[in-house]
Amino acid sequence: MKITKLLKLFWPEVCPFCGKVSAQGICGECRKKTDRLKVREPKCMKCGKPVKDAEQEYCRDCLDARHEYDRGAALWVHKPPVNTSVYQFKFHNRRSFGSFYAKEMAAEYGEALAGWGIDIIIPVPLYPGKYKKRGYNQAAVLARELGKVLDIPVEERLLKRIRETAPQKNLTPRKRRQNLNGAFSVEKRRRVFLKSRSVLLTDDIYTTGSTVDEAAKTLKKAGAEKVFYLAISIGQGY
């Protein structure tokens, strides 16, 4: 207990959105801002993106593309201050934010995940070269923390990224799919862990779904029955 207090003295908790010291993690002002960015209804029945019209079942992306995953959701729309927080988590070693995100996800989607019957959580993997350069995989940090909160096993080594791909952000949806084709694999000896299982993929940001689709396709070929995803933030629907 004394060690914990001492650690907090030298490394106090900070708000994951504005960086100010906050014993509650997120500060009151940022709580108000992020609550307004939480993904609410109406939203796409497939990917979970918010849409404008309550009668609109699917966003434009999901109308134009056949997704390999079964369903997905995200906590916030990818706008300030969420996008800045996710950037810090992803590129600036703010791994401590993972615990906060996981608790928020569990509170918002714990019931939905139980309904999906999730058996195992798998993070979207990084290519080894990128992992070595960054030093960690933010999706794996999130998966571990979410697994703790929900008491669901996490398999970090089951899905591997076997091919380095170009950054997705500047590519068209078609180019994104081509870029990721054959990027993932599951070792044959590990496929037994997937047989007839419902899998939850974790990632930081969902945009068009190309990465999640390719990962889901690989997992299903290896024996998974259903694949869902959960992300911290997501783009706006149409």
Side-chain angles (χ1 to χ4, degrees):
M1 183 68 73
K2 289 182 179 180
I3 294 176
T4 303
K5 288 182 179 179
L6 190 62
L7 287 171
K8 286 188 175 182
L9 180 64
F10 288 100
W11 291 282
E13 284 190 80
V14 298
C15 174
F17 299 99
C18 67
K20 295 178 182 176
V21 174
S22 174
Q24 292 76 35
I26 184 172
C27 70
E29 189 61 33
C30 287
R31 171 66 74 182
K32 292 176 184 176
K33 292 178 182 177
T34 56
D35 278 352
R36 289 194 288 268
L37 292 176
K38 275 195 175 179
V39 180
R40 308 289 190 191
E41 297 289 354
K43 56 186 176 181
C44 177
M45 293 176 64
K46 188 70 172 182
C47 74
K49 280 184 180 179
V51 293
K52 293 179 181 178
D53 193 343
E55 295 181 0
Q56 186 179 347
E57 293 184 345
Y58 300 100
C59 68
R60 192 176 73 181
D61 286 341
C62 290
L63 285 172
D64 292 343
R66 178 187 174 276
H67 290 300
E68 300 289 341
Y69 64 85
D70 291 271
R71 198 168 178 182
L75 195 55
W76 295 294
V77 175
H78 195 67
K79 291 182 177 181
V82 171
N83 58 345
T84 305
S85 177
V86 173
Y87 183 84
Q88 294 295 321
F89 175 58
K90 186 172 184 176
F91 295 112
H92 290 278
N93 203 20
R94 291 291 189 173
R95 283 179 266 187
S96 60
F97 291 0
S99 176
F100 169 77
Y101 297 145
K103 289 173 184 175
E104 292 289 307
M105 284 176 159
E108 191 73 21
Y109 290 111
E111 192 174 321
L113 294 178
W116 293 347
I118 302 300
D119 298 303
I120 187 172
I121 301 174
I122 297 176
V124 172
L126 286 177
Y127 185 70
K130 188 173 287 187
Y131 181 91
K132 187 176 181 180
K133 184 178 180 180
R134 192 176 300 173
Y136 65 101
N137 176 7
Q138 71 282 352
V141 173
L142 184 63
R144 287 195 295 270
E145 295 296 336
L146 193 60
K148 288 178 190 176
V149 177
L150 298 173
D151 195 25
I152 298 175
V154 177
E155 283 287 344
E156 294 184 42
R157 298 182 180 180
L158 206 155
L159 183 66
K160 294 182 179 294
R161 199 158 192 151
I162 58 173
R163 187 169 62 77
E164 190 169 15
T165 55
Q168 292 278 91
K169 61 182 180 180
N170 295 322
L171 301 178
T172 63
R174 183 182 177 185
K175 290 290 185 181
R176 285 178 182 230
R177 291 191 291 272
Q178 292 174 345
N179 184 43
L180 286 158
N181 189 35
F184 302 104
S185 74
V186 175
E187 293 180 22
K188 287 184 178 180
R189 63 188 179 88
R190 291 183 178 273
R191 293 186 179 190
V192 65
F193 295 107
L194 287 172
K195 190 175 182 180
S196 303
R197 295 290 185 90
S198 288
V199 174
L200 179 69
L201 284 166
T202 57
D203 208 358
D204 51 354
I205 308 165
Y206 180 99
T207 48
T208 63
S210 301
T211 303
V212 175
D213 275 331
E214 188 63 29
K217 182 173 72 174
T218 303
L219 290 169
K220 286 187 174 182
K221 281 185 177 179
E225 183 177 353
K226 292 183 178 182
V227 179
F228 303 88
Y229 89 82
L230 192 59
I232 300 168
S233 62
I234 195 168
Q236 193 81 32
Y238 300 96

